[in-house]
Amino acid sequence: MLIDTYGRVATDLRVSLTDRCNLRCTYCMPEEGLQWLAKPDLLTDDEIVRLVGIAVTSFGIEEVRFTGGEPLLRPGLVGIVERVAALDPRPQMSLTTNGIGLRRTAAALKAAGLDRVNVSLDTLRPDVFKTLTRRNRHQDVLDGLSAAREAGLTPVKVNSVLMPGLNDDEAPDLLAWAVEQDYELRFIEQMPLDAQHGWKRDGMITAGDILTSLRTRFELTPEGDEARGSAPAERWLVDGGPHRVGVIASVTRPFCAACDRTRLTADGQVRTCLFATEETDLRAALRSGAPDEEIARLWRLAMWGKKAGAGLDDPTFVQPDRPMSAIGG
């Protein structure tokens, strides 16, 4: 197993497949984009499958989430999913995507073995979407969501970040739409993972703000800690159920004590946390011919050093020097 000095056991693996993205969201990267990783620096498909296999067979990893950047930009994505689905034991597999291109790939991903998707969508307004993402692709995301639902990649979860002065008034509309479409909506507090380091704590829409806005239109009944388990989202039944809404309050209500995640970057580094400032290089071990046992040892050692928490609400917090697109959400 993967255990740290605080007794937390990692059962959830997040794998970034690429640092590239076809949107330029204002809270993630600058308009001109970033200096992308060179292709030789990226893990190959074989290397990804090998590392996931080590995680599943040696550590008891139960869930694998493919992320990016934008994972749909990875040419070998369907094949990777198919090969991971063939592992024994088979992990649950999900994908976090911006939804662009999902209309074309949802059926193939389902056939390959993907279980479900999380799609990022911050607004129902095409003009606001263009302002937030610097791209005119709102309808493509809506089409991708519909395709995921039709393919059976359920529950389809929608992740939304509210930004002051742009979409901070949309929480009730987003929830009404999600209920109508049978999607599970999750609001995420904006986190300091932008390449420009422009995040400011005092300008963030908090979980409290979001819940206050939702309660102007809906009755919310908390599910409670037992139902939440180690999940990052606190969830509420909407008007008595069965639909739910979640809030991931990474800044104001950190959940580090229950964290069960380990992360692989697109270039083969182990990260113990999105906000970690240290990484452990597994790619070098892979390419030097190290056996699975040695790679597992390095991975265990990295996770043993996992810190107690990110301290995002601490004024002394130091933002990581890698943007979210390079780390994986």
Side-chain angles (χ1 to χ4, degrees):
M1 67 174 64
L2 280 178
I3 190 169
D4 63 33
T5 54
Y6 299 92
R8 296 170 295 193
V9 177
T11 58
D12 184 333
L13 170 62
R14 304 296 168 102
V15 183
S16 174
L17 299 179
T18 178
D19 60 329
R20 296 175 182 266
C21 189
N22 42 14
L23 297 180
R24 296 291 181 269
C25 297
T26 56
Y27 50 77
C28 183
M29 68 173 73
E31 185 171 5
E32 65 274 13
L34 300 167
Q35 182 66 46
W36 308 123
L37 292 167
K39 187 174 181 179
D41 293 336
L42 294 171
L43 292 175
T44 66
D45 293 1
D46 288 345
E47 288 169 339
I48 290 169
V49 173
R50 183 181 172 192
L51 288 174
V52 174
I54 291 170
V56 169
T57 59
S58 297
F59 305 143
I61 290 294
E62 299 170 356
E63 181 175 350
V64 176
R65 171 84 62 85
F66 297 111
T67 70
E70 174 44 53
L72 293 180
L73 295 179
R74 177 86 186 201
L77 172 61
V78 172
I80 291 170
V81 170
E82 189 171 33
R83 293 169 67 185
V84 171
L87 293 173
D88 186 16
R90 179 199 185 281
Q92 288 288 304
M93 285 184 293
S94 57
L95 179 82
T96 294
T97 172
N98 62 28
I100 296 173
L102 190 55
R103 180 176 60 84
R104 298 189 304 273
T105 56
L109 287 167
K110 179 64 177 179
L114 192 70
D115 294 298
R116 63 173 188 82
V117 293
N118 286 39
V119 179
S120 299
L121 181 64
D122 303 322
T123 178
L124 299 176
R125 305 167 185 162
D127 59 326
V128 176
F129 181 91
K130 187 175 181 179
T131 298
L132 280 168
T133 68
R134 306 183 179 106
R135 297 291 187 271
N136 189 21
R137 306 297 297 272
H138 189 257
Q139 189 59 49
D140 292 328
V141 180
L142 296 179
D143 291 345
L145 280 160
S146 296
R149 183 183 57 208
E150 291 164 8
L153 292 169
T154 54
V156 176
K157 296 184 179 180
V158 177
N159 296 338
S160 297
V161 176
L162 298 182
M163 303 286 288
L166 285 172
N167 62 340
D168 52 343
D169 61 336
E170 284 197 69
D173 290 341
L174 280 163
L175 182 52
W177 165 80
V179 167
E180 180 184 358
Q181 298 295 324
D182 199 25
Y183 303 142
E184 183 173 324
L185 180 63
R186 305 192 312 171
F187 292 99
I188 304 175
E189 287 182 339
Q190 184 197 1
M191 294 180 283
L193 287 169
D194 57 311
Q196 315 90 288
H197 289 199
W199 179 85
K200 289 182 172 54
R201 170 67 177 81
D202 56 4
M204 185 189 69
I205 306 300
T206 68
D209 297 331
I210 294 164
L211 292 170
T212 297
S213 179
L214 292 177
R215 286 183 170 122
T216 63
R217 198 182 305 180
F218 302 95
E219 179 184 345
L220 302 181
T221 306
E223 279 196 325
D225 292 339
E226 185 175 343
R228 179 183 184 185
S230 60
E234 296 179 76
R235 298 199 307 180
W236 287 261
L237 293 173
V238 179
D239 291 339
H243 291 95
R244 295 170 173 81
V245 64
V247 178
I248 299 178
S250 304
V251 178
T252 61
R253 304 180 189 178
F255 40 84
C256 300
C259 181
D260 63 352
R261 296 178 182 179
T262 185
R263 299 175 181 274
L264 277 176
T265 66
D267 55 350
Q269 311 299 306
V270 171
R271 291 183 71 92
T272 60
C273 173
L274 270 176
F275 303 96
T277 54
E278 302 91 16
E279 298 177 333
T280 297
D281 188 1
L282 297 187
R283 184 189 62 198
L286 282 171
R287 295 181 180 177
S288 68
D292 288 359
E293 294 78 11
E294 173 60 12
I295 293 168
R297 185 190 69 82
L298 292 172
W299 203 332
R300 284 192 180 99
L301 187 61
M303 292 302 294
W304 184 250
K306 184 174 182 175
K307 292 182 169 55
L312 304 188
D313 209 22
D314 185 334
T316 64
F317 168 73
V318 177
Q319 182 172 345
D321 58 4
R322 288 236 257 175
M324 184 161 53
S325 62
I327 298 169

